[in-house]
Amino acid sequence: MRMRKTSRRSAGTIALLLAGSTVLSACSSDPSAEGAQGGGDGGKALTVGLTYIPNIQFAPFYVAQSKGYYKDAGLKVNLRHHSFTDDLFGGLTAGKEDLVYAGGDEMLQARTRGLPVVDIATLYHTYPVAMLVPQDSPIRTVADLRGRRIGTPGPYGETYFGLLARLKSGGLTTKDVKVQNIGFTQQAALAGKRVDAVMGYLNNDAVQFQQAGIKVRAVEGAAGSSQLPLVGVGLGATDKTLKQQGDAVRKFVAATLRGVRYTVEHPEEAVSISKAFIPGMDKKQEESALAVLQATVPLMKPPASGRPGRNDPATWDRMAVFMKEQNLLDKPVRPTEAYTNSYLP
């Protein structure tokens, strides 16, 4: 889900987030807002940075907290929400957070900038970003975008990474198109014909277009979004945290994946549970949140033969090469240092 320069969550997820601006406006923007703390006996509480204000995108964490999954694992867990202006990894750097919810691509980028963060579990097994065009657009393939105007929130985060990857899949670069930084105004920009295509989230922007009665479709490469050389949202922790609290982190990952599974299987109940964590959610906002969560479920499902939470080595290798080619990394980094599957249940 992302952010401004090096702040905020991918909108991976901002997106998800904007699950309807009505939901957003109803949420508290206090960066220290937390859900009820988990139980468990003794031990230091683990604080996870949820890199946006309270929102339905964090339903698996709300479910795990409410259902007592963290307590069952003997953990005390604080859910720490970020404000609009918080740096994505600021809490981790300052020692206010033990774990963070961020994109694998963002973690790889952060590691080259001196933050020893490690992706310990993938929560979105399908990359959530897509290039959206009107249903009746003559644009059918990425190659058709040559010379066209493409709107993206800005030159940062998941939507921008997805733009670069999608262009490359069609043999294009940003020099072949007209990239316009439009903030999070995808719907207005596309409906107003200020751009020919927009980069958005499958589980947010596409849903908002549908709810507004605006027909759009995704322009995919031959292999689709699942084959983009990018790793979606997951859980990150520093080398220090993993060394000092490895056992607690392992339990946290297992409990969170349990929350993911329950959310996938019971989206309606997950929305109901989330109401206690998202201030001011009324009936209309609840319906919008459910639509967003239902669109998110396919992203969270692992491949049929896959292991929940598993980081795919091949995708990480491809991503490291891609991000280096696109000058998205400050220095070379070995992808094997940036992720691990050792903390999965």
Side-chain angles (χ1 to χ4, degrees):
M1 285 108 129
R2 187 213 289 345
M3 34 155 266
R4 330 160 168 74
K5 280 251 172 186
T6 58
S7 59
R8 224 226 118 261
R9 192 198 132 48
S10 65
T13 324
I14 216 170
L16 206 184
L17 325 175
L18 291 172
S21 54
T22 52
V23 175
L24 289 181
S25 61
C27 297
S28 165
S29 60
D30 179 359
S32 63
E34 300 172 355
Q37 294 185 8
D41 298 323
K44 173 180 176 294
L46 285 176
T47 296
V48 55
L50 301 181
T51 46
Y52 197 64
I53 62 178
N55 188 272
I56 194 60
Q57 72 165 317
F58 304 119
F61 299 94
Y62 301 153
V63 167
Q65 192 78 289
S66 182
K67 288 285 184 181
Y69 296 161
Y70 295 133
K71 184 177 181 179
D72 292 346
L75 300 173
K76 294 179 181 178
V77 173
N78 296 331
L79 304 180
R80 182 177 185 271
H81 287 281
H82 289 190
S83 72
F84 287 99
T85 58
D86 282 351
D87 182 272
L88 178 61
F89 297 105
L92 208 62
T93 301
K96 295 180 180 180
E97 298 169 0
D98 302 292
L99 303 108
V100 68
Y101 177 80
D105 40 21
E106 295 164 328
M107 286 189 254
L108 184 65
Q109 193 175 60
R111 195 168 182 91
T112 70
R113 295 175 176 173
L115 178 62
V117 61
V118 179
D119 191 322
I120 55 176
T122 290
L123 300 187
Y124 279 17
H125 290 276
T126 297
Y127 204 71
V129 169
M131 183 176 289
L132 304 173
V133 298
Q135 183 66 45
D136 60 357
S137 171
I139 299 172
R140 296 292 172 181
T141 68
V142 175
D144 294 334
L145 289 160
R146 187 179 297 276
R148 302 277 188 168
R149 300 162 299 170
I150 304 175
T152 187
Y156 46 72
E158 291 175 333
T159 47
Y160 189 65
F161 300 159
L163 168 62
L164 297 180
R166 181 58 69 221
L167 290 176
K168 183 179 179 181
S169 73
L172 303 178
T173 71
T174 54
K175 295 180 180 180
D176 299 309
V177 297
K178 300 174 183 176
V179 178
Q180 296 184 15
N181 299 328
I182 60 173
F184 297 98
T185 64
Q186 288 96 326
Q187 187 176 133
L190 194 63
K193 298 183 179 181
R194 297 201 302 271
V195 294
D196 301 297
V198 295
M199 295 303 301
Y201 286 84
L202 292 167
N203 55 340
N204 176 67
D205 298 295
V207 174
Q208 287 194 50
F209 275 114
Q210 181 179 15
Q211 293 180 330
I214 302 173
K215 295 183 178 181
V216 297
R217 55 181 169 77
V219 178
E220 301 285 8
S225 293
S226 63
Q227 295 303 311
L228 289 178
L230 296 167
V231 177
V233 176
L235 295 172
T238 62
D239 293 332
K240 180 180 179 180
T241 295
L242 296 178
K243 182 178 181 179
Q244 296 181 347
Q245 302 185 71
D247 185 55
V249 169
R250 187 171 287 105
K251 292 177 180 178
F252 174 81
V253 171
T256 300
L257 289 176
R258 189 179 173 191
V260 170
R261 183 169 63 251
Y262 196 91
T263 298
V264 168
E265 295 174 351
H266 308 279
E268 293 87 355
E269 185 181 349
V271 170
S272 180
I273 289 173
S274 297
K275 291 174 65 177
F277 297 81
I278 304 176
M281 184 186 287
D282 60 24
K283 183 62 177 179
K284 182 177 181 180
Q285 294 161 355
E286 186 175 348
E287 293 174 355
S288 178
L290 178 58
V292 168
L293 191 56
Q294 289 175 328
T296 303
V297 164
L299 307 179
M300 294 190 289
K301 287 184 176 180
S305 59
R307 179 183 180 188
R310 178 177 179 272
N311 280 297
D312 178 58
T315 303
W316 273 90
D317 288 343
R318 292 170 58 222
M319 181 171 70
V321 172
F322 167 75
M323 294 186 75
K324 181 180 179 182
E325 291 176 346
Q326 299 293 326
N327 297 315
L328 295 173
L329 302 179
D330 286 0
K331 62 182 181 181
V333 60
R334 288 185 293 181
T336 51
E337 296 177 349
Y339 75 89
T340 179
N341 288 315
S342 300
Y343 295 85
L344 296 180

